[in-house]
Short mmCIF file of all heavy atoms in Angstrom, two decimals:
data_model
loop_
_atom_site.label_atom_id
_atom_site.label_comp_id
_atom_site.label_asym_id
_atom_site.label_seq_id
_atom_site.Cartn_x
_atom_site.Cartn_y
_atom_site.Cartn_z
N MET A 1 0.89 -1.11 0.04
CA MET A 1 0.04 0.00 -0.05
C MET A 1 0.92 1.28 0.00
O MET A 1 1.81 1.27 0.74
CB MET A 1 -0.86 -0.10 1.24
CG MET A 1 -1.90 1.02 1.33
SD MET A 1 -2.99 0.99 2.79
CE MET A 1 -3.52 -0.67 2.74
N ASP A 2 0.53 2.21 -0.87
CA ASP A 2 1.46 3.38 -0.85
C ASP A 2 1.05 4.28 0.32
O ASP A 2 0.21 4.05 1.15
CB ASP A 2 1.32 4.14 -2.25
CG ASP A 2 -0.05 4.77 -2.44
OD1 ASP A 2 -0.84 4.84 -1.52
OD2 ASP A 2 -0.28 5.13 -3.58
N ASP A 3 1.91 5.40 0.53
CA ASP A 3 1.87 6.28 1.64
C ASP A 3 0.45 6.95 1.71
O ASP A 3 -0.02 7.05 2.83
CB ASP A 3 2.91 7.36 1.50
CG ASP A 3 4.38 6.77 1.75
OD1 ASP A 3 4.40 5.68 2.33
OD2 ASP A 3 5.24 7.32 1.35
N LYS A 4 -0.03 7.46 0.65
CA LYS A 4 -1.38 8.23 0.60
C LYS A 4 -2.37 7.24 1.09
O LYS A 4 -3.24 7.65 2.00
CB LYS A 4 -1.75 8.68 -0.77
CG LYS A 4 -2.91 9.71 -0.80
CD LYS A 4 -3.11 10.29 -2.10
CE LYS A 4 -2.03 11.14 -2.34
NZ LYS A 4 -2.13 12.58 -1.91
N ALA A 5 -2.56 5.99 0.62
CA ALA A 5 -3.47 4.98 1.02
C ALA A 5 -3.31 4.61 2.59
O ALA A 5 -4.36 4.56 3.20
CB ALA A 5 -3.41 3.77 0.10
N ALA A 6 -2.07 4.51 2.82
CA ALA A 6 -1.75 4.07 4.34
C ALA A 6 -2.27 5.25 5.33
O ALA A 6 -2.80 5.00 6.27
CB ALA A 6 -0.35 3.86 4.54
N GLN A 7 -2.06 6.43 4.90
CA GLN A 7 -2.39 7.63 5.71
C GLN A 7 -4.01 7.59 5.90
O GLN A 7 -4.41 7.84 7.01
CB GLN A 7 -2.00 8.97 5.19
CG GLN A 7 -0.47 9.15 5.26
CD GLN A 7 0.00 10.32 4.47
OE1 GLN A 7 -0.77 11.05 3.71
NE2 GLN A 7 1.26 10.62 4.59
N VAL A 8 -4.70 7.45 4.74
CA VAL A 8 -6.14 7.54 4.84
C VAL A 8 -6.64 6.27 5.62
O VAL A 8 -7.55 6.55 6.40
CB VAL A 8 -6.80 7.41 3.47
CG1 VAL A 8 -8.18 7.11 3.45
CG2 VAL A 8 -6.52 8.73 2.64
N MET A 9 -6.02 5.12 5.42
CA MET A 9 -6.54 4.00 6.24
C MET A 9 -6.35 4.08 7.79
O MET A 9 -7.22 3.84 8.42
CB MET A 9 -5.72 2.65 5.84
CG MET A 9 -5.97 2.16 4.45
SD MET A 9 -7.60 1.63 4.17
CE MET A 9 -7.33 -0.12 4.49
N ALA A 10 -5.15 4.91 8.15
CA ALA A 10 -4.92 5.05 9.47
C ALA A 10 -5.96 6.02 10.08
O ALA A 10 -6.23 6.02 11.32
CB ALA A 10 -3.58 5.66 9.75
N GLY A 11 -6.53 7.05 9.22
CA GLY A 11 -7.51 7.97 9.89
C GLY A 11 -8.94 7.52 9.79
O GLY A 11 -9.87 8.39 10.11
N LEU A 12 -9.18 6.27 9.21
CA LEU A 12 -10.69 5.88 9.16
C LEU A 12 -11.14 5.56 10.54
O LEU A 12 -10.67 5.21 11.50
CB LEU A 12 -10.66 4.73 8.14
CG LEU A 12 -10.35 4.98 6.81
CD1 LEU A 12 -10.26 3.70 6.04
CD2 LEU A 12 -11.35 5.97 6.19
N PRO A 13 -12.60 5.70 10.64
CA PRO A 13 -13.27 5.70 11.95
C PRO A 13 -13.35 4.17 12.48
O PRO A 13 -13.53 4.03 13.66
CB PRO A 13 -14.59 6.29 11.65
CG PRO A 13 -14.89 6.05 10.36
CD PRO A 13 -13.46 6.18 9.53
N ASP A 14 -13.47 3.29 11.62
CA ASP A 14 -13.65 1.87 12.11
C ASP A 14 -13.17 0.74 11.10
O ASP A 14 -12.81 1.12 9.97
CB ASP A 14 -15.10 1.65 12.49
CG ASP A 14 -16.01 1.93 11.38
OD1 ASP A 14 -15.73 1.78 10.12
OD2 ASP A 14 -17.21 2.45 11.55
N GLU A 15 -13.31 -0.51 11.41
CA GLU A 15 -12.96 -1.58 10.61
C GLU A 15 -13.84 -1.63 9.36
O GLU A 15 -13.30 -2.03 8.19
CB GLU A 15 -12.94 -2.83 11.39
CG GLU A 15 -12.32 -4.05 10.61
CD GLU A 15 -10.94 -3.71 10.23
OE1 GLU A 15 -10.14 -3.10 11.09
OE2 GLU A 15 -10.45 -4.50 9.32
N VAL A 16 -15.06 -1.42 9.33
CA VAL A 16 -16.03 -1.31 8.27
C VAL A 16 -15.42 -0.37 7.12
O VAL A 16 -15.34 -0.70 6.01
CB VAL A 16 -17.41 -0.96 8.63
CG1 VAL A 16 -18.35 -0.85 7.35
CG2 VAL A 16 -17.91 -1.99 9.44
N ALA A 17 -14.99 0.82 7.55
CA ALA A 17 -14.48 1.72 6.66
C ALA A 17 -13.22 1.24 6.01
O ALA A 17 -13.05 1.36 4.75
CB ALA A 17 -14.27 3.16 7.31
N ARG A 18 -12.34 0.63 6.85
CA ARG A 18 -11.01 0.24 6.32
C ARG A 18 -11.31 -0.92 5.27
O ARG A 18 -10.61 -1.02 4.35
CB ARG A 18 -10.17 -0.40 7.49
CG ARG A 18 -9.47 0.86 8.11
CD ARG A 18 -8.50 0.24 9.18
NE ARG A 18 -9.13 -0.14 10.40
CZ ARG A 18 -9.64 0.74 11.37
NH1 ARG A 18 -9.54 1.94 11.19
NH2 ARG A 18 -10.26 0.27 12.47
N GLU A 19 -12.26 -1.74 5.59
CA GLU A 19 -12.64 -2.94 4.67
C GLU A 19 -13.15 -2.34 3.40
O GLU A 19 -12.93 -2.99 2.24
CB GLU A 19 -13.63 -3.90 5.27
CG GLU A 19 -13.13 -4.74 6.33
CD GLU A 19 -14.18 -5.41 7.23
OE1 GLU A 19 -15.27 -5.61 6.74
OE2 GLU A 19 -13.70 -6.19 8.25
N GLU A 20 -13.92 -1.29 3.46
CA GLU A 20 -14.43 -0.80 2.19
C GLU A 20 -13.39 -0.13 1.22
O GLU A 20 -13.37 -0.47 0.05
CB GLU A 20 -15.55 0.31 2.35
CG GLU A 20 -16.18 0.85 1.17
CD GLU A 20 -17.46 1.70 1.41
OE1 GLU A 20 -18.03 1.66 2.35
OE2 GLU A 20 -17.77 2.45 0.48
N ILE A 21 -12.46 0.60 1.97
CA ILE A 21 -11.32 1.14 1.15
C ILE A 21 -10.53 0.06 0.64
O ILE A 21 -9.97 -0.03 -0.48
CB ILE A 21 -10.54 2.12 2.04
CG1 ILE A 21 -11.35 3.31 2.30
CG2 ILE A 21 -9.23 2.51 1.27
CD1 ILE A 21 -10.95 4.63 1.80
N ALA A 22 -10.22 -1.03 1.43
CA ALA A 22 -9.39 -2.12 0.95
C ALA A 22 -9.88 -2.84 -0.20
O ALA A 22 -9.29 -3.16 -1.21
CB ALA A 22 -9.09 -3.10 2.09
N ALA A 23 -11.27 -3.07 -0.16
CA ALA A 23 -12.00 -3.71 -1.36
C ALA A 23 -11.92 -2.85 -2.59
O ALA A 23 -11.71 -3.40 -3.67
CB ALA A 23 -13.43 -3.95 -0.88
N LEU A 24 -12.08 -1.45 -2.43
CA LEU A 24 -12.05 -0.74 -3.57
C LEU A 24 -10.60 -0.68 -4.24
O LEU A 24 -10.40 -0.88 -5.42
CB LEU A 24 -12.43 0.78 -3.24
CG LEU A 24 -12.46 1.61 -4.49
CD1 LEU A 24 -13.43 1.21 -5.52
CD2 LEU A 24 -12.82 3.07 -3.98
N LEU A 25 -9.59 -0.65 -3.33
CA LEU A 25 -8.18 -0.69 -3.82
C LEU A 25 -7.81 -2.05 -4.44
O LEU A 25 -7.13 -2.12 -5.48
CB LEU A 25 -7.21 -0.50 -2.66
CG LEU A 25 -7.20 0.92 -2.14
CD1 LEU A 25 -6.25 1.14 -0.79
CD2 LEU A 25 -6.64 1.87 -3.18
N ALA A 26 -8.44 -3.13 -3.85
CA ALA A 26 -8.14 -4.45 -4.39
C ALA A 26 -8.88 -4.54 -5.87
O ALA A 26 -8.21 -5.11 -6.82
CB ALA A 26 -8.75 -5.55 -3.66
N ASP A 27 -10.00 -4.01 -5.98
CA ASP A 27 -10.60 -4.03 -7.41
C ASP A 27 -9.85 -3.24 -8.33
O ASP A 27 -9.72 -3.53 -9.48
CB ASP A 27 -12.14 -3.45 -7.19
CG ASP A 27 -12.82 -3.46 -8.47
OD1 ASP A 27 -12.89 -4.57 -9.12
OD2 ASP A 27 -13.28 -2.45 -8.97
N VAL A 28 -9.33 -2.06 -7.91
CA VAL A 28 -8.66 -1.20 -8.84
C VAL A 28 -7.25 -1.74 -9.26
O VAL A 28 -6.89 -1.77 -10.45
CB VAL A 28 -8.26 0.19 -7.99
CG1 VAL A 28 -7.00 0.98 -8.78
CG2 VAL A 28 -9.46 1.09 -8.04
N ARG A 29 -6.55 -2.53 -8.37
CA ARG A 29 -5.40 -3.26 -8.64
C ARG A 29 -5.74 -4.41 -9.57
O ARG A 29 -4.81 -4.70 -10.53
CB ARG A 29 -4.55 -3.61 -7.42
CG ARG A 29 -4.03 -2.32 -6.81
CD ARG A 29 -2.97 -2.66 -5.65
NE ARG A 29 -2.36 -1.58 -5.33
CZ ARG A 29 -2.67 -0.79 -4.09
NH1 ARG A 29 -3.68 -1.14 -3.33
NH2 ARG A 29 -2.05 0.25 -3.83
N ALA A 30 -6.74 -5.09 -9.45
CA ALA A 30 -7.15 -6.27 -10.10
C ALA A 30 -7.54 -5.87 -11.56
O ALA A 30 -7.26 -6.57 -12.47
CB ALA A 30 -8.21 -7.14 -9.48
N ARG A 31 -8.31 -4.78 -11.65
CA ARG A 31 -8.87 -4.40 -12.99
C ARG A 31 -8.55 -2.85 -13.11
O ARG A 31 -9.58 -2.10 -13.09
CB ARG A 31 -10.39 -4.59 -12.94
CG ARG A 31 -10.73 -6.03 -12.67
CD ARG A 31 -12.28 -6.23 -12.50
NE ARG A 31 -12.97 -5.20 -11.77
CZ ARG A 31 -14.08 -4.62 -12.21
NH1 ARG A 31 -14.53 -4.88 -13.35
NH2 ARG A 31 -14.67 -3.62 -11.53
N PRO A 32 -7.32 -2.36 -13.37
CA PRO A 32 -6.90 -1.07 -13.34
C PRO A 32 -7.73 -0.34 -14.45
O PRO A 32 -7.87 1.02 -14.35
CB PRO A 32 -5.45 -1.09 -13.51
CG PRO A 32 -5.11 -2.32 -14.01
CD PRO A 32 -6.17 -3.28 -13.53
N ARG A 33 -8.17 -0.79 -15.53
CA ARG A 33 -8.58 0.01 -16.60
C ARG A 33 -10.14 -0.27 -16.77
O ARG A 33 -10.77 0.22 -17.71
CB ARG A 33 -8.01 -0.53 -17.97
CG ARG A 33 -6.51 0.05 -18.00
CD ARG A 33 -5.83 -0.11 -19.36
NE ARG A 33 -4.63 0.59 -19.33
CZ ARG A 33 -3.34 0.08 -19.02
NH1 ARG A 33 -3.29 -1.17 -18.70
NH2 ARG A 33 -2.42 0.89 -19.24
N ALA A 34 -10.85 -0.73 -15.78
CA ALA A 34 -12.20 -1.02 -15.61
C ALA A 34 -12.99 0.27 -15.26
O ALA A 34 -14.11 0.27 -15.51
CB ALA A 34 -12.57 -2.15 -14.77
N HIS A 35 -12.28 1.14 -14.79
CA HIS A 35 -13.03 2.39 -14.22
C HIS A 35 -12.81 3.56 -15.15
O HIS A 35 -11.87 3.44 -16.01
CB HIS A 35 -12.36 2.69 -12.80
CG HIS A 35 -12.64 1.63 -11.92
ND1 HIS A 35 -13.73 1.33 -11.23
CD2 HIS A 35 -11.71 0.58 -11.52
CE1 HIS A 35 -13.65 0.22 -10.63
NE2 HIS A 35 -12.43 -0.21 -10.58
N PRO A 36 -13.63 4.57 -15.18
CA PRO A 36 -13.62 5.74 -16.15
C PRO A 36 -12.20 6.45 -16.10
O PRO A 36 -11.69 6.65 -15.15
CB PRO A 36 -14.66 6.66 -15.57
CG PRO A 36 -15.54 5.76 -14.77
CD PRO A 36 -14.74 4.78 -14.31
N ASP A 37 -11.79 6.74 -17.43
CA ASP A 37 -10.61 7.49 -17.67
C ASP A 37 -11.04 9.00 -17.47
O ASP A 37 -11.86 9.50 -18.24
CB ASP A 37 -10.04 7.20 -19.08
CG ASP A 37 -8.82 7.69 -19.36
OD1 ASP A 37 -8.32 8.74 -18.64
OD2 ASP A 37 -8.18 7.29 -20.32
N VAL A 38 -10.40 9.72 -16.59
CA VAL A 38 -10.62 11.14 -16.46
C VAL A 38 -9.40 11.94 -16.70
O VAL A 38 -9.25 13.07 -16.22
CB VAL A 38 -11.17 11.39 -15.07
CG1 VAL A 38 -12.27 10.62 -14.79
CG2 VAL A 38 -10.18 10.99 -13.93
N ARG A 39 -8.47 11.39 -17.60
CA ARG A 39 -7.25 12.22 -17.74
C ARG A 39 -7.54 13.63 -18.29
O ARG A 39 -8.43 13.91 -19.06
CB ARG A 39 -6.34 11.47 -18.71
CG ARG A 39 -6.83 11.45 -20.19
CD ARG A 39 -5.80 10.63 -21.04
NE ARG A 39 -6.27 9.18 -21.09
CZ ARG A 39 -5.47 8.34 -21.52
NH1 ARG A 39 -4.35 8.48 -21.99
NH2 ARG A 39 -6.00 7.04 -21.55
N GLU A 40 -6.69 14.50 -17.94
CA GLU A 40 -6.70 15.88 -18.29
C GLU A 40 -5.62 16.24 -19.28
O GLU A 40 -5.80 17.21 -20.07
CB GLU A 40 -6.58 16.84 -17.07
CG GLU A 40 -7.80 16.61 -16.21
CD GLU A 40 -7.66 17.40 -14.86
OE1 GLU A 40 -6.63 18.07 -14.63
OE2 GLU A 40 -8.44 17.19 -13.88
N ILE A 41 -4.51 15.53 -19.21
CA ILE A 41 -3.30 15.75 -19.94
C ILE A 41 -3.09 14.44 -20.91
O ILE A 41 -3.00 13.41 -20.37
CB ILE A 41 -2.09 16.06 -19.23
CG1 ILE A 41 -2.41 17.35 -18.26
CG2 ILE A 41 -0.94 16.31 -20.04
CD1 ILE A 41 -1.27 17.55 -17.22
N VAL A 42 -2.87 14.73 -22.12
CA VAL A 42 -2.63 13.60 -23.04
C VAL A 42 -1.38 12.85 -22.58
O VAL A 42 -0.36 13.47 -22.23
CB VAL A 42 -2.41 14.06 -24.48
CG1 VAL A 42 -2.06 12.92 -25.48
CG2 VAL A 42 -3.73 14.63 -25.02
N GLY A 43 -1.38 11.60 -22.40
CA GLY A 43 -0.23 10.77 -22.06
C GLY A 43 -0.31 10.27 -20.58
O GLY A 43 0.46 9.39 -20.20
N ALA A 44 -1.08 10.97 -19.80
CA ALA A 44 -1.22 10.47 -18.45
C ALA A 44 -2.54 9.78 -18.23
O ALA A 44 -3.64 10.45 -18.28
CB ALA A 44 -1.17 11.74 -17.55
N GLU A 45 -2.52 8.55 -18.06
CA GLU A 45 -3.64 7.80 -17.83
C GLU A 45 -4.19 7.76 -16.53
O GLU A 45 -3.64 7.23 -15.56
CB GLU A 45 -3.57 6.34 -18.27
CG GLU A 45 -4.75 5.43 -18.37
CD GLU A 45 -4.66 3.99 -18.70
OE1 GLU A 45 -3.58 3.71 -19.28
OE2 GLU A 45 -5.53 3.18 -18.52
N VAL A 46 -5.25 8.68 -16.15
CA VAL A 46 -5.79 8.81 -14.90
C VAL A 46 -7.24 8.33 -14.75
O VAL A 46 -7.99 8.63 -15.72
CB VAL A 46 -5.69 10.33 -14.55
CG1 VAL A 46 -6.32 10.43 -13.06
CG2 VAL A 46 -4.27 10.79 -14.52
N ARG A 47 -7.52 7.51 -13.77
CA ARG A 47 -8.83 7.04 -13.70
C ARG A 47 -9.45 7.21 -12.29
O ARG A 47 -8.69 7.34 -11.33
CB ARG A 47 -8.81 5.45 -14.03
CG ARG A 47 -8.41 5.18 -15.53
CD ARG A 47 -8.39 3.84 -15.90
NE ARG A 47 -8.11 3.69 -17.28
CZ ARG A 47 -9.04 3.50 -18.18
NH1 ARG A 47 -10.26 3.48 -17.87
NH2 ARG A 47 -8.65 3.33 -19.32
N GLU A 48 -10.64 6.98 -12.13
CA GLU A 48 -11.36 7.19 -10.80
C GLU A 48 -12.32 5.91 -10.57
O GLU A 48 -12.90 5.57 -11.51
CB GLU A 48 -12.24 8.53 -10.78
CG GLU A 48 -11.34 9.74 -10.76
CD GLU A 48 -12.04 11.01 -10.81
OE1 GLU A 48 -13.18 10.95 -11.19
OE2 GLU A 48 -11.43 12.01 -10.38
N ALA A 49 -12.30 5.59 -9.31
CA ALA A 49 -13.22 4.45 -8.98
C ALA A 49 -13.89 5.03 -7.60
O ALA A 49 -13.34 5.54 -6.87
CB ALA A 49 -12.49 3.20 -8.65
N PHE A 50 -15.21 4.51 -7.45
CA PHE A 50 -16.03 4.90 -6.39
C PHE A 50 -16.61 3.76 -5.69
O PHE A 50 -17.05 2.68 -6.49
CB PHE A 50 -17.06 5.96 -6.79
CG PHE A 50 -16.51 7.19 -7.35
CD1 PHE A 50 -16.22 7.34 -8.76
CD2 PHE A 50 -16.39 8.35 -6.55
CE1 PHE A 50 -15.71 8.54 -9.27
CE2 PHE A 50 -15.66 9.49 -7.05
CZ PHE A 50 -15.45 9.46 -8.41
N SER A 51 -16.92 3.75 -4.44
CA SER A 51 -17.85 2.87 -3.72
C SER A 51 -18.87 3.67 -3.03
O SER A 51 -18.85 4.95 -3.22
CB SER A 51 -17.05 1.86 -2.89
OG SER A 51 -16.53 2.67 -1.70
N ALA A 52 -19.58 3.15 -2.13
CA ALA A 52 -20.55 3.88 -1.40
C ALA A 52 -20.01 5.05 -0.60
O ALA A 52 -20.70 6.13 -0.55
CB ALA A 52 -21.49 2.98 -0.49
N PHE A 53 -18.93 4.98 -0.02
CA PHE A 53 -18.40 6.03 0.85
C PHE A 53 -16.91 6.37 0.71
O PHE A 53 -16.43 7.14 1.36
CB PHE A 53 -18.53 5.63 2.28
CG PHE A 53 -19.96 5.52 2.84
CD1 PHE A 53 -20.61 4.29 2.96
CD2 PHE A 53 -20.78 6.58 2.97
CE1 PHE A 53 -21.77 4.11 3.35
CE2 PHE A 53 -22.09 6.45 3.43
CZ PHE A 53 -22.66 5.15 3.47
N CYS A 54 -16.34 5.83 -0.50
CA CYS A 54 -14.96 6.29 -0.64
C CYS A 54 -14.68 6.32 -2.17
O CYS A 54 -15.56 5.85 -2.97
CB CYS A 54 -14.06 5.20 -0.08
SG CYS A 54 -14.16 3.61 -0.51
N TRP A 55 -13.57 6.92 -2.46
CA TRP A 55 -13.17 7.03 -3.89
C TRP A 55 -11.62 6.86 -3.89
O TRP A 55 -10.99 7.21 -2.91
CB TRP A 55 -13.53 8.41 -4.45
CG TRP A 55 -12.77 9.62 -4.02
CD1 TRP A 55 -11.62 10.03 -4.71
CD2 TRP A 55 -13.00 10.34 -2.79
NE1 TRP A 55 -11.07 11.12 -3.89
CE2 TRP A 55 -11.87 11.25 -2.74
CE3 TRP A 55 -13.82 10.32 -1.84
CZ2 TRP A 55 -11.70 12.17 -1.67
CZ3 TRP A 55 -13.65 11.22 -0.90
CH2 TRP A 55 -12.60 12.16 -0.72
N VAL A 56 -11.21 6.68 -5.11
CA VAL A 56 -9.76 6.66 -5.40
C VAL A 56 -9.54 7.15 -6.71
O VAL A 56 -10.26 6.89 -7.64
CB VAL A 56 -9.13 5.24 -5.14
CG1 VAL A 56 -9.70 4.26 -6.15
CG2 VAL A 56 -7.60 5.28 -5.25
N GLN A 57 -8.56 8.11 -6.98
CA GLN A 57 -8.11 8.49 -8.24
C GLN A 57 -6.56 7.96 -8.34
O GLN A 57 -5.79 8.05 -7.43
CB GLN A 57 -8.12 10.11 -8.29
CG GLN A 57 -7.65 10.51 -9.80
CD GLN A 57 -7.61 12.13 -9.78
OE1 GLN A 57 -6.56 12.61 -9.36
NE2 GLN A 57 -8.61 12.54 -10.44
N TYR A 58 -6.40 7.31 -9.54
CA TYR A 58 -5.16 6.71 -9.70
C TYR A 58 -4.55 6.86 -11.16
O TYR A 58 -5.37 7.09 -12.05
CB TYR A 58 -5.24 5.30 -9.26
CG TYR A 58 -6.25 4.45 -10.10
CD1 TYR A 58 -5.85 3.70 -11.10
CD2 TYR A 58 -7.60 4.47 -9.79
CE1 TYR A 58 -6.80 2.95 -11.84
CE2 TYR A 58 -8.51 3.85 -10.50
CZ TYR A 58 -8.09 2.99 -11.46
OH TYR A 58 -9.11 2.27 -12.27
N ALA A 59 -3.25 6.64 -11.29
CA ALA A 59 -2.67 6.66 -12.63
C ALA A 59 -2.39 5.27 -12.92
O ALA A 59 -1.91 4.41 -11.96
CB ALA A 59 -1.37 7.67 -12.55
N VAL A 60 -2.43 4.92 -14.17
CA VAL A 60 -1.98 3.54 -14.59
C VAL A 60 -0.73 3.72 -15.39
O VAL A 60 -0.63 4.36 -16.48
CB VAL A 60 -3.15 2.76 -15.45
CG1 VAL A 60 -2.58 1.49 -15.89
CG2 VAL A 60 -4.37 2.72 -14.65
N ARG A 61 0.45 3.10 -14.98
CA ARG A 61 1.65 3.25 -15.68
C ARG A 61 2.25 1.80 -15.88
O ARG A 61 2.57 1.18 -14.80
CB ARG A 61 2.62 3.97 -14.92
CG ARG A 61 2.27 5.53 -14.74
CD ARG A 61 3.43 6.32 -14.14
NE ARG A 61 2.79 7.54 -13.71
CZ ARG A 61 2.63 7.95 -12.50
NH1 ARG A 61 2.93 7.15 -11.48
NH2 ARG A 61 2.09 9.13 -12.16
N ASP A 62 2.38 1.41 -17.09
CA ASP A 62 2.92 0.05 -17.37
C ASP A 62 2.15 -1.05 -16.57
O ASP A 62 2.85 -1.98 -16.07
CB ASP A 62 4.40 0.00 -17.03
CG ASP A 62 5.19 1.04 -17.80
OD1 ASP A 62 4.81 1.18 -19.07
OD2 ASP A 62 6.21 1.57 -17.34
N GLY A 63 0.87 -0.96 -16.39
CA GLY A 63 0.08 -1.86 -15.78
C GLY A 63 0.02 -1.77 -14.33
O GLY A 63 -0.79 -2.38 -13.63
N ALA A 64 0.88 -0.91 -13.68
CA ALA A 64 0.86 -0.64 -12.33
C ALA A 64 0.02 0.48 -11.96
O ALA A 64 -0.31 1.45 -12.71
CB ALA A 64 2.26 -0.41 -11.77
N VAL A 65 -0.54 0.51 -10.72
CA VAL A 65 -1.39 1.55 -10.13
C VAL A 65 -0.71 2.49 -9.14
O VAL A 65 -0.06 2.00 -8.31
CB VAL A 65 -2.58 0.89 -9.49
CG1 VAL A 65 -3.36 1.96 -8.81
CG2 VAL A 65 -3.38 0.14 -10.50
N ALA A 66 -0.77 3.78 -9.42
CA ALA A 66 -0.13 4.75 -8.52
C ALA A 66 -1.30 5.65 -7.91
O ALA A 66 -2.03 6.38 -8.80
CB ALA A 66 0.87 5.59 -9.17
N ILE A 67 -1.55 5.65 -6.71
CA ILE A 67 -2.71 6.32 -6.00
C ILE A 67 -2.28 7.92 -6.17
O ILE A 67 -1.25 8.31 -5.66
CB ILE A 67 -2.88 5.89 -4.59
CG1 ILE A 67 -3.08 4.40 -4.61
CG2 ILE A 67 -4.02 6.78 -4.02
CD1 ILE A 67 -4.32 3.85 -5.23
N ARG A 68 -3.17 8.68 -6.78
CA ARG A 68 -3.15 10.05 -6.72
C ARG A 68 -3.93 10.78 -5.59
O ARG A 68 -3.48 11.60 -5.02
CB ARG A 68 -3.60 10.68 -8.05
CG ARG A 68 -2.72 10.18 -9.19
CD ARG A 68 -3.04 10.74 -10.40
NE ARG A 68 -3.10 12.18 -10.29
CZ ARG A 68 -3.16 13.02 -11.36
NH1 ARG A 68 -3.26 12.62 -12.54
NH2 ARG A 68 -3.33 14.40 -11.04
N ASP A 69 -5.12 10.23 -5.31
CA ASP A 69 -6.01 10.79 -4.29
C ASP A 69 -6.82 9.71 -3.85
O ASP A 69 -7.31 8.77 -4.53
CB ASP A 69 -6.81 11.96 -4.88
CG ASP A 69 -7.49 12.70 -3.71
OD1 ASP A 69 -7.04 12.66 -2.55
OD2 ASP A 69 -8.45 13.37 -4.08
N ILE A 70 -7.17 9.66 -2.57
CA ILE A 70 -8.09 8.61 -1.92
C ILE A 70 -8.74 9.36 -0.85
O ILE A 70 -8.32 10.14 -0.15
CB ILE A 70 -7.27 7.43 -1.53
CG1 ILE A 70 -8.16 6.32 -1.11
CG2 ILE A 70 -6.09 7.83 -0.47
CD1 ILE A 70 -7.41 5.02 -0.88
N GLY A 71 -10.04 9.01 -0.67
CA GLY A 71 -10.69 9.66 0.46
C GLY A 71 -12.00 8.80 0.95
O GLY A 71 -12.38 7.86 0.19
N TRP A 72 -12.52 9.19 1.99
CA TRP A 72 -13.75 8.63 2.70
C TRP A 72 -14.69 9.75 3.07
O TRP A 72 -14.28 10.78 3.42
CB TRP A 72 -13.12 8.03 3.97
CG TRP A 72 -14.24 7.43 4.89
CD1 TRP A 72 -14.83 8.04 6.03
CD2 TRP A 72 -14.97 6.08 4.60
NE1 TRP A 72 -15.76 7.10 6.48
CE2 TRP A 72 -15.83 6.09 5.69
CE3 TRP A 72 -14.95 5.21 3.75
CZ2 TRP A 72 -16.78 5.02 5.78
CZ3 TRP A 72 -15.78 4.14 3.86
CH2 TRP A 72 -16.67 4.08 4.81
N THR A 73 -15.92 9.51 2.70
CA THR A 73 -16.97 10.44 2.92
C THR A 73 -17.87 10.17 4.05
O THR A 73 -18.76 10.94 4.43
CB THR A 73 -17.75 10.74 1.56
OG1 THR A 73 -18.40 9.54 1.31
CG2 THR A 73 -16.94 11.16 0.51
N GLY A 74 -17.84 9.01 4.55
CA GLY A 74 -18.78 8.50 5.56
C GLY A 74 -18.55 8.97 7.02
O GLY A 74 -17.76 9.77 7.35
#
């Protein structure tokens, strides 16, 4: 887990929240191109994924996922 994801996980209110974020991150890593492409600059593949109470914005580089933003709304 990268630093940004680890920081968000540490600040979550309970185990249910951590499980939801972990499930979303697992889905993103398993299917990085299954979520909408929201790139603003040509050449940077940026996508966003959402669940009921969290989101993640990430870049896909050579099949690897780099977290750009992650959050919890619950």
Side-chain angles (χ1 to χ4, degrees):
M1 184 176 312
D2 69 13
D3 290 341
K4 189 174 292 276
Q7 289 172 357
V8 168
M9 293 291 269
L12 292 172
D14 56 28
E15 190 59 31
V16 173
R18 284 185 282 283
E19 288 174 4
E20 185 170 338
I21 293 241
L24 183 60
L25 290 173
D27 183 52
V28 161
R29 288 193 171 101
R31 304 174 317 129
R33 290 188 169 90
H35 303 281
D37 189 341
V38 296
R39 73 180 88 193
E40 297 171 5
I41 302 169
V42 175
E45 184 177 349
V46 177
R47 296 179 176 267
E48 291 179 336
F50 298 88
S51 70
F53 295 104
C54 61
W55 77 92
V56 62
Q57 184 183 75
Y58 60 98
V60 179
R61 295 186 194 111
D62 299 325
V65 172
I67 305 299
R68 293 181 54 163
D69 191 22
I70 186 169
W72 175 257
T73 63

